[in-house]
Amino acid sequence: LEVVVLMHHDEWGLSSNTGKLAELTMAPARILMKGLPSHDAELAALIEDESIEMCVLWPSAAERADWPSEGGGGDRTGGEGRDHVTLEAVQAMQARGRRVAIVAVDASWRNARRMVRKLPPSRVRRLSLNTDVLYGDGGPRPSLLAPLRAYNGAMRTELGGSEGSCVCTIEAVVAAVSALGHDAEGCEHALAVARRKVAVVSRYRGKVGRPKENV
């Protein structure tokens, strides 16, 4: 099981970005910058390698209903089709000994759509995670990144979603790899690092109140 963070260049310099943490806290994991020639070539090689099953994390059918399927007949109801694969199907691939690469698109919603359109649906199918996988028993909740990314009252997510039920890139990656057998300790470490980053950046930005010093 490998994680590939396909990153838009606008994300690289953002202090609130969590996609970079996947490479630092998980193994094997790598970042591929869209538009960087050497990284584009690396992605192309991955796509052409038929020994690897590639799945891109993407919102559920309901959330992507306004986006036509480039598979020309792929199932848009949440089932397995030409451009979509279920979590159970990916687990079955692993059971058969197939190598699996989970692709997380790290970009704004608008840019993510453009980037995923360029991935061949016959080789990189979309994997949607249900709320049980994303949030566990607690149900939908604000993203750990919510203190840093809030726009017009709605929390931003690189993978889509609605207010009150968003996830950031590292949360989506952790949910996916956890469901596919990654060790629980490693997953919790990745989230702990992300929480620490959010706390530090929030304080740096002055979004966390500090007690006034006596003068």
Side-chain angles (χ1 to χ4, degrees):
L1 179 62
E2 179 182 358
V3 174
V4 178
V5 177
L6 183 57
M7 183 178 290
H8 190 275
H9 61 82
D10 284 348
E11 291 291 319
W12 181 253
L14 295 180
S15 60
S16 58
N17 178 271
T18 64
K20 295 191 287 284
L21 299 179
E23 188 178 47
L24 297 174
T25 60
M26 295 183 168
R30 55 179 139 171
I31 294 174
L32 297 180
M33 187 73 67
K34 180 64 178 174
L36 189 64
S38 60
H39 286 196
D40 285 346
E42 196 171 335
L43 177 63
L46 274 174
I47 293 173
E48 292 172 3
D49 188 345
E50 295 188 356
S51 70
I52 302 175
E53 298 286 352
M54 296 189 69
C55 309
V56 59
L57 296 177
W58 201 245
S60 66
E63 290 172 325
R64 70 173 192 264
D66 62 332
W67 188 32
S69 166
E70 60 272 78
D75 189 318
R76 290 171 57 197
T77 64
E80 186 175 358
R82 287 180 61 187
D83 67 347
H84 190 265
V85 65
T86 64
L87 180 62
E88 292 74 17
V90 179
Q91 291 168 333
M93 295 172 192
Q94 288 182 300
R96 296 195 301 269
R98 297 284 291 174
R99 293 171 60 195
V100 173
I102 298 297
V103 180
V105 180
D106 199 16
S108 66
W109 179 231
R110 182 179 182 181
N111 287 329
R113 286 187 175 196
R114 293 173 177 171
M115 292 162 69
V116 172
R117 281 194 182 102
K118 297 180 180 180
L119 299 175
S122 60
R123 284 289 299 128
V124 188
R125 290 191 287 175
R126 297 178 201 162
L127 172 62
S128 300
L129 305 177
N130 61 38
T131 54
D132 290 339
V133 173
L134 283 172
Y135 306 108
D137 297 334
R141 58 183 177 273
S143 168
L144 62 81
L145 194 59
L148 299 182
R149 289 194 175 184
Y151 298 90
N152 298 322
M155 288 172 293
R156 173 183 176 181
T157 169
E158 288 82 354
L159 301 174
S162 56
E163 184 174 2
S165 61
C166 293
V167 293
C168 64
T169 301
I170 194 65
E171 288 173 302
V173 167
V174 166
V177 300
S178 177
L180 295 173
H182 197 280
D183 70 284
E185 185 177 348
C187 289
E188 181 52 41
H189 172 64
L191 293 179
V193 171
R195 293 188 192 100
R196 177 59 179 163
K197 176 177 180 176
V198 169
V200 170
V201 174
S202 293
R203 182 170 293 278
Y204 177 78
R205 288 182 174 181
K207 291 189 176 183
V208 175
R210 297 181 180 178
K212 294 182 179 180
E213 297 180 358
N214 295 324
V215 294

